[in-house]
């Protein structure tokens, strides 16, 4: 699959988060299923099988972040193996869906948001490809994190939402906590003071590992709760998160599908070159 990139053909990896555990049920009938075991790479096993198919003529690979039946915890997810599996299949882009708590008054339940920045509070995860696990990733790299997400991909998601008449907010800072517990009220208020707009357990390290792998990454977040800072609202609980996601899963799915269509109409040569050069120029090993 690797030469696809050279031909200027794009392939988009889609990561289904909580509530989109079996993305191939919602998104397409896969043409090909690559078993987890067969997608094993230098970093180990991805979370689920990889479902290969196409949307509006654009090649797409689907993956479930927590695996079937949501058996993998946020800490236990092999983020590196997931992204490396995409890269090995020639993916150029990653679109990720994520259920988030809202840390902002104006981000109401069910609102879709395209994050543009993050605050990383994770502590127990592999946070780089460049640790001599794989020969492909050599040297020590210090990758700049502004902009954290791919701006052109974010713009196209916004455009896709406009085309569909779906309300979406672009530009939000997502705080990723280690979990599995939710935040205390004091933490939740602190994250608000820090400038966080959303809170989840998976954007980090996914977003910056994607950057290390030269993949163009953007995320569609859905606000499912107000965490526990807002006194007039119920505290976050799992059943509410899943219920709100379920109510909005069709909206998220149609936005993913439209975004793929629009991404497929663009020329990405420069973006892909820039992403790869950023990684190349971030090597300090000599
Ligand atoms: N995912 C959905 N809601 C969340 C919250 N309040 N905190 C962390 N992760 C979440």
């Amino acid at each position: 699959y690797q030469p696809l990139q050279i031909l200027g053909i794009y392939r988009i990896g889609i990561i289904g988060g909580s509530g989109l555990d079996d993305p191939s049920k919602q998104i397409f009938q896969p043409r090909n299923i690559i078993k987890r075991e067969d997608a094993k790479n230098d970093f180990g096993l991805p979370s689920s099988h990889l479902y290969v198919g196409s949307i509006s003529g654009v090649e797409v690979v689907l993956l479930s972040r927590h695996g079937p039946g949501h058996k993998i915890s946020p800490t236990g997810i092999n983020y590196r193996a997931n992204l490396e599996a995409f890269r090995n299949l020639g993916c150029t882009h990653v679109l990720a869906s994520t259920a988030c708590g809202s840390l902002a008054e104006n981000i109401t339940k069910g609102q879709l948001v395209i994050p543009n920045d993050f605050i990383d509070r994770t502590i127990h995860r592999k946070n780089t490809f460049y640790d001599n696990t794989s020969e492909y990733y050599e040297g020590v790299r210090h990758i700049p994190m502004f902009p954290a997400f791919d701006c052109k991909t974010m713009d196209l998601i916004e455009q896709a939402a406009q085309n569909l008449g779906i309300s979406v907010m672009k530009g939000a800072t997502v705080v990723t906590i280690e979990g599995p517990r939710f935040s205390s009220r004091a933490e939740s208020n602190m994250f608000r003071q820090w400038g966080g707009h959303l809170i989840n357990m998976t954007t980090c390290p996914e977003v910056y590992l994607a950057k290390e792998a030269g993949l163009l990454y953007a995320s569609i977040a859905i606000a499912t709760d107000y965490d526990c800072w807002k006194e007039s609202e119920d505290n976050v609980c799992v059943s509410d998160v899943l219920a709100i996601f379920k109510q909005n899963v069709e909206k998220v799915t149609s936005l993913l599908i439209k975004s793929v269509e629009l991404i497929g109409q663009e020329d990405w040569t420069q973006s892909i070159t820039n992403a790869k050069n950023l990684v190349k120029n971030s090597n300090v090993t000599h």
Side-chain angles (χ1 to χ4, degrees):
Y1 289 117
Q2 215 86 37
L4 283 176
Q5 283 175 42
I6 296 157
L7 293 170
I9 295 170
Y10 311 117
R11 183 170 271 208
I12 301 171
I14 295 183
I15 304 179
S18 300
L20 209 65
D21 285 336
D22 190 354
S24 74
K25 260 202 196 130
Q26 272 104 5
I27 296 180
F28 58 46
Q29 236 359 77
R31 186 179 64 232
N32 184 13
I33 300 175
I34 300 169
K35 292 225 167 81
R36 255 186 114 195
E37 305 73 46
D38 297 331
K40 191 173 176 197
N41 53 61
D42 290 349
F43 300 95
L45 280 175
S47 299
S48 75
H49 299 336
L50 295 153
Y51 302 88
V52 183
S54 59
I55 296 171
S56 307
V58 186
E59 291 283 300
V60 176
V61 184
L62 306 179
L63 174 77
S64 159
R65 187 187 284 117
H66 297 278
H70 203 118
K71 294 208 176 74
I72 311 174
S73 76
T75 303
I77 293 164
N78 193 336
Y79 297 91
R80 299 196 301 178
N82 288 349
L83 293 165
E84 184 68 352
F86 280 156
R87 200 186 62 77
N88 284 338
L89 287 170
C91 289
T92 49
H93 297 69
V94 178
L95 295 181
S97 75
T98 172
C100 291
S102 166
L103 297 174
E105 203 75 60
N106 64 335
I107 302 178
T108 51
K109 285 184 201 176
Q111 174 69 50
L112 298 190
V113 186
I114 307 166
N116 69 337
D117 212 341
F118 66 80
I119 295 173
D120 187 3
R121 292 271 298 171
T122 67
I123 45 173
H124 296 305
R125 306 176 188 193
K126 299 273 190 204
N127 64 0
T128 183
F129 281 111
Y130 289 92
D131 66 352
N132 297 313
T133 300
S134 166
E135 277 178 16
Y136 180 82
Y137 296 92
E138 48 132 31
V140 174
R141 316 256 166 162
H142 300 293
I143 315 252
M145 278 300 125
F146 178 81
F149 294 77
D150 184 64
C151 299
K152 188 170 161 186
T153 308
M154 288 171 53
D155 288 345
L156 287 169
I157 298 171
E158 184 184 36
Q159 207 180 306
Q162 279 163 0
N163 287 6
L164 295 170
I166 293 173
S167 158
V168 76
M169 286 169 63
K170 192 176 72 172
T173 296
V174 51
V175 179
T176 303
I177 57 170
E178 183 60 53
R181 68 170 178 86
F182 288 120
S183 305
S184 68
R185 181 167 278 183
E187 287 168 335
S188 197
N189 278 319
M190 178 182 72
F191 297 144
R192 275 164 51 75
Q193 284 180 17
W194 284 0
H197 304 107
L198 294 171
I199 183 161
N200 72 1
M201 299 183 194
T202 55
T203 293
C204 298
E206 203 170 80
V207 56
Y208 50 83
L209 288 172
K211 215 183 247 303
E212 281 193 352
L215 299 166
L216 305 173
Y217 179 101
S219 172
I220 298 174
I222 173 157
T224 52
D225 57 89
Y226 276 104
D227 203 34
C228 64
W229 61 271
K230 199 165 153 70
E231 299 193 11
S232 63
E233 284 283 338
D234 290 339
N235 293 338
V236 58
C237 68
V238 164
S239 56
D240 289 356
V241 169
L242 294 178
I244 297 284
F245 201 103
K246 209 167 161 196
Q247 280 168 28
N248 291 280
V249 75
E250 270 175 44
K251 200 165 70 173
V252 176
T253 310
S254 54
L255 183 54
L256 282 168
I257 291 170
K258 192 72 185 173
S259 301
V260 167
E261 186 187 321
L262 297 190
I263 290 169
Q265 291 166 7
E266 295 290 312
D267 180 358
W268 293 92
T269 319
Q270 196 58 53
S271 298
I272 293 165
T273 307
N274 291 349
K276 297 212 180 303
N277 282 342
L278 183 73
V279 180
K280 204 153 114 200
N281 297 334
S282 300
N283 194 6
V284 284
T285 305
H286 48 85

